[in-house]
Amino acid sequence: MEAEKKGISTLQGVSNSLEVLFALARADGPLSPAELAAITSINRTTVYRILETYMQYQIVEPDHDQKYRLGLGIWRLVQSAQKQHPVIYTAMPIITELWQRTKESVQLNLRFGDTVICMVGFESTHRLRVSPQVGDQWPLHITSRGRVILAHLSEKERKAYLQKDLQAFTKHSITDKAQLEELCLKIREAGYAISKGEMIEDAASIAAPVFFNGQVVGSIDVAGPLQRVETVDPAWVKAAGMEISELLK
């Protein structure tokens, strides 16, 4: 019984540590221990201990106001994850080739539950551009990078997702469930998705699905100002997605 209680306590400690880490990851800037305690509902003393441990491994670092942000240790972990994740290391040369061909911003995104997260981003060399940020997260129904995944989920998963309250981000965001179902059908037939102004006004993107062992796990997309993206051939993006998926079989 004593060993069981100790095990539960250890698991709770791990859970608390991760809650603090993810709170910092979601924040727009550094956070104080008091702010972290409020966000996570974890005792402030516990938050202090977690931060002190993270500092030993450079996972977090304090700023001049004694607020905390992610440290260089996180970037080492990110680099290792990118090298080890089969989808990411398989996709890298193909992403690079698509970026060089289109001269626009290119992203590799992976599905996490009801969201899609940017895992790798190459910025366009144009002065006016959409700048992908690793860790950026979107709902599956918004923009081409998420909707191309939504379209290729099982019918059960897709219908369950569409029963949720769907948030709009601009006047161009599509949240009507019947319209999304129709779009998903067209996306499956075409093999790619296009979105215009759904997250950022006057920006557009073209995305294709990425499959791993026959299951859709992510997407690859080209994004930029609407007028330039309209000159990008969707077949290039579709071919890139198919090549990655073929290598992952």
Side-chain angles (χ1 to χ4, degrees):
M1 183 66 71
E2 192 64 34
E4 185 177 340
K5 288 181 179 179
K6 185 176 181 181
I8 292 171
S9 176
T10 300
L11 287 173
Q12 186 60 54
V14 172
S15 178
N16 288 344
S17 297
L18 290 174
E19 286 285 351
V20 170
L21 186 62
F22 281 107
L24 286 170
R26 289 190 295 265
D28 292 327
L31 295 173
S32 69
E35 289 170 326
L36 283 165
I39 292 168
T40 61
S41 300
I42 297 171
N43 178 280
R44 192 184 304 188
T45 302
T46 302
V47 169
Y48 270 113
R49 288 202 298 267
I50 291 169
L51 291 171
E52 286 175 357
T53 301
Y54 279 151
M55 285 177 61
Q56 293 176 25
Y57 298 93
Q58 296 183 307
I59 299 298
V60 303
E61 58 188 24
D63 66 7
H64 59 278
D65 293 322
Q66 290 305 300
K67 291 189 173 187
Y68 293 81
R69 57 177 175 251
L70 297 180
L72 294 178
I74 280 290
W75 297 112
R76 288 196 288 270
L77 291 175
V78 169
Q79 289 175 336
S80 295
Q82 288 179 335
K83 291 175 184 176
Q84 294 175 23
H85 196 290
V87 176
I88 295 174
Y89 72 67
T90 299
M92 285 300 286
I94 300 163
I95 297 170
T96 304
E97 184 179 346
L98 185 62
W99 173 66
Q100 291 171 338
R101 186 174 196 179
T102 64
K103 297 179 173 59
E104 296 295 347
S105 297
V106 176
Q107 295 180 194
L108 175 70
N109 317 285
L110 293 180
R111 178 197 175 194
F112 286 84
D114 290 341
T115 65
V116 57
I117 298 179
C118 175
M119 304 303 292
V120 178
F122 288 5
E123 276 198 1
S124 169
T125 55
H126 292 289
R127 183 172 298 178
L128 181 62
R129 61 183 180 264
V130 171
S131 298
Q133 300 293 323
V134 172
D136 279 355
Q137 186 170 338
W138 306 267
L140 291 179
H141 66 283
I142 292 292
T143 79
S144 65
R145 63 183 63 95
R147 199 151 54 238
V148 79
I149 297 172
L150 180 64
H152 289 87
L153 295 179
S154 69
E155 182 178 1
K156 181 179 179 180
E157 282 188 288
R158 187 173 65 257
K159 287 187 179 298
Y161 179 87
L162 292 177
Q163 292 305 310
K164 302 175 187 291
D165 292 328
L166 305 180
Q167 183 183 0
F169 291 83
T170 73
K171 63 183 180 181
H172 303 293
S173 299
I174 300 170
T175 58
D176 180 79
K177 295 171 174 58
Q179 188 178 359
L180 284 167
E181 277 284 22
E182 185 178 348
L183 275 173
C184 284
L185 175 59
K186 292 179 178 178
I187 290 166
R188 289 194 298 275
E189 291 173 345
Y192 61 85
I194 297 175
S195 64
K196 300 177 181 180
E198 292 189 51
M199 184 67 75
I200 304 171
E201 296 279 356
D202 300 320
S205 63
I206 305 169
V210 172
F211 296 89
F212 188 21
N213 292 331
Q215 300 291 320
V216 65
V217 294
S219 62
I220 182 172
D221 75 87
V222 173
L226 176 58
Q227 289 184 325
R228 291 208 311 265
V229 171
E230 287 182 330
T231 68
V232 175
D233 188 345
W236 298 347
V237 186
K238 179 180 177 179
M242 291 175 66
E243 186 177 356
I244 296 168
S245 301
E246 186 66 27
L247 291 170
L248 287 167
K249 280 185 177 178

